Amino acid sequence: MKNLWSGIITEQVQASKAFYVQHFSCEVLFESDWFVLLQLGGGELGFMLPNLDAQAGIFRTAFNGSGLWITIDVENVEAQFERLQQSNVDIVEPLKREAWGDYHFVVRDPNGIGVDVVERPAGA
C-alpha cells in the first residue's frame, strides 16, 4: 500500500478549492474544470463534479452534506481560531479542550462538511 486519500463529489469544486487554499494553505496538486486535488502535509483531498459520464455510477452522486468530517492538525489552535473567526468562517463548534487532550474547534466548509481544527496533546 502507498497512500490513502479521499475525494468528495460536489457542485462546489471551485468554492472548496478556494476555502481550503485560503484558510488552510492547501497546495493545488492538480486542477481541471471538473476536478481539483489538494495537498496539506502528507494528506490529499479531491473535489469532483457529479454526474460525469466518464465516471463509474458510484462516483456520480453528489455528497449530501452529512456523515463526513475532515480533521486538520495545527500547532496553535488558539491562533487558528482567532484567524478564522476574523475571516468570518462559519465556526459551528467553539474552541474546546476534550478530556482526552485534544484542543479543537469546528468550522463548516462550502459543502457543509465539518472541519475539525485540532491541536493534539504532546506525544499524541
Side-chain angles (χ1 to χ4, degrees):
M1 310 293 158
K2 280 179 54 177
N3 294 308
L4 174 67
W5 65 278
S6 297
I8 297 160
I9 302 163
T10 177
E11 294 283 353
Q12 304 298 320
V13 172
Q14 291 304 313
S16 299
K17 177 188 87 171
F19 178 84
Y20 286 95
V21 168
Q22 177 183 352
H23 298 300
F24 298 105
S25 300
C26 288
E27 176 186 353
V28 177
L29 294 180
F30 177 82
E31 181 175 10
S32 71
D33 58 342
W34 58 273
F35 180 78
V36 64
L37 182 62
L38 306 175
Q39 181 178 43
L40 181 61
E44 295 178 6
L45 180 61
F47 295 94
M48 180 175 67
L49 287 175
N51 301 313
L52 299 172
D53 291 337
Q55 296 295 354
I58 196 166
F59 299 127
R60 291 185 184 180
T61 303
F63 175 70
N64 69 10
S66 64
L68 175 69
W69 82 90
I70 295 169
T71 299
I72 297 181
D73 286 323
V74 299
E75 292 185 15
N76 184 336
V77 75
E78 289 177 356
Q80 298 303 320
F81 181 78
E82 187 174 309
R83 181 182 64 80
L84 291 172
Q85 195 172 41
Q86 291 174 0
S87 295
N88 294 318
V89 171
D90 185 14
I91 297 173
V92 295
E93 292 292 330
L95 194 56
K96 176 181 177 182
R97 189 174 304 275
E98 301 291 356
W100 56 88
D102 283 0
Y103 193 23
H104 67 126
F105 65 97
V106 179
V107 300
R108 185 184 333 262
D109 87 350
N111 305 289
I113 298 168
V115 180
D116 195 15
V117 183
V118 179
E119 181 179 336
R120 293 184 173 168

